[in-house]
Amino acid sequence: MLRSIYLVRHGESVSNAGGITMPHALIPLTEAGRKQADALSALLPAQPPRILASPFIRALDTAEPYATRMQVRIEREPLLQEFDMVDPVLIAGMDQAQRRPIADAFWKEGDPAKQMGKQAESFGQFASRVSVFMAERLPLLPDGTVCFGHGIWIGMVAWKLLGFGADTCDDMRRFRRFQTGLPLPNGAIYALEELAPAQWVLRNRFV
């Protein structure tokens, strides 16, 4: 094995716990999420050469205890941010139960080009962003790098490594079924392992 790059899902967020809609990038961790972030330090590499994080608050706050303990600067990486599926303006004031039918309808429709509001991205744009990370950022990361991000994002990495597409309505619906079946609890750890040059597999190391 040439390299291992660790992908970490953020700790429990206010949204995960059913809270009222906030701008996606500003959703904070719950108290349980902060405890999960503290616990991760003992499970990740002791001397990471780099620590990358999605610029979303919940990912940065999950990375912070580990980065502080390891004395490594957190590098914000926009390519790691979560799928911005729905513009927060369209779901303002809703709790998780109220948001779910909107999300379910989006996935059921399965239109890779659809954007739900000006501050949202399409499924196709999201998939392309993950592809850019894998093609341009991943080859440059040193062994032991730790990346803090999000569940659907890690799911897309797994999907692409299996060789599946993200271009058609059927692709989008199949991805959703695949992603929701993955074991990705808050605080999950996955390892991207390079078995040969540019040949990667994803293995779970989740807590």
Side-chain angles (χ1 to χ4, degrees), residues 66-101:
Y66 175 61
T68 298
R69 191 168 299 176
M70 297 299 114
Q71 298 185 329
V72 176
R73 179 178 63 88
I74 298 171
E75 303 172 48
R76 299 190 182 203
E77 175 50 76
L79 292 173
L80 288 171
Q81 73 185 46
E82 186 59 299
F83 179 21
D84 253 335
M85 187 176 70
V86 184
D87 188 330
V89 172
L90 301 180
I91 51 176
M94 295 184 184
D95 61 20
Q96 187 178 58
Q98 293 168 314
R99 294 190 298 266
R100 184 172 290 115

Side-chain angles (χ1 to χ4, degrees), residues 155-169:
M156 182 56 74
V157 170
W159 183 254
K160 287 184 173 292
L161 287 176
L162 290 170
F164 298 131
D167 304 310
T168 69
C169 295

Side-chain angles (χ1 to χ4, degrees), residues 2 194-200:
L2 302 180
E194 190 178 30
L195 305 181
Q199 295 182 16
W200 296 89

Side-chain angles (χ1 to χ4, degrees), residues 3-202:
R3 286 181 289 166
S4 290
I5 307 298
Y6 297 89
L7 307 180
V8 185
R9 187 187 178 197
H10 62 79
E12 182 187 70
S13 72
V14 169
S15 179
N16 298 146
I20 298 299
T21 298
M22 301 174 62
H24 210 173
L26 303 181
I27 299 169
L29 297 177
T30 62
E31 185 58 34
R34 293 190 177 280
K35 290 178 181 178
Q36 290 167 339
D38 288 338
L40 284 168
S41 294
L43 303 170
L44 292 167
Q47 294 181 316
R50 297 177 67 182
I51 297 174
L52 277 60
S54 155
F56 287 10
I57 292 297
R58 56 194 183 277
L60 291 168
D61 285 353
T62 302
E64 193 276 333
Y66 175 61
T68 298
R69 191 168 299 176
M70 297 299 114
Q71 298 185 329
V72 176
R73 179 178 63 88
I74 298 171
E75 303 172 48
R76 299 190 182 203
E77 175 50 76
L79 292 173
L80 288 171
Q81 73 185 46
E82 186 59 299
F83 179 21
D84 253 335
M85 187 176 70
V86 184
D87 188 330
V89 172
L90 301 180
I91 51 176
M94 295 184 184
D95 61 20
Q96 187 178 58
Q98 293 168 314
R99 294 190 298 266
R100 184 172 290 115
I102 296 172
D104 289 346
F106 174 79
W107 289 107
K108 184 177 181 180
E109 181 180 358
D111 180 355
K114 181 172 183 175
Q115 287 182 255
M116 296 186 68
K118 294 181 179 180
Q119 297 182 59
E121 63 182 342
S122 70
F123 177 77
Q125 289 170 331
F126 164 63
S128 294
R129 177 160 54 80
V130 176
S131 292
V132 170
F133 178 88
M134 295 174 71
E136 298 181 9
R137 297 288 194 275
L138 184 58
L140 303 177
L141 297 179
D143 180 47
T145 295
V146 181
C147 302
F148 289 82
H150 307 269
I152 298 179
W153 194 96
I154 295 172
M156 182 56 74
V157 170
W159 183 254
K160 287 184 173 292
L161 287 176
L162 290 170
F164 298 131
D167 304 310
T168 69
C169 295
D170 285 343
D171 289 341
M172 183 173 168
R173 295 188 191 106
R174 283 195 292 263
F175 168 76
R176 182 58 171 174
R177 291 194 295 271
F178 170 81
Q179 175 259 317
T180 54
L182 286 175
L184 275 165
N186 293 110
I189 302 170
Y190 276 73
L192 266 171
E193 298 178 350
E194 190 178 30
L195 305 181
Q199 295 182 16
W200 296 89
V201 297
L202 188 67

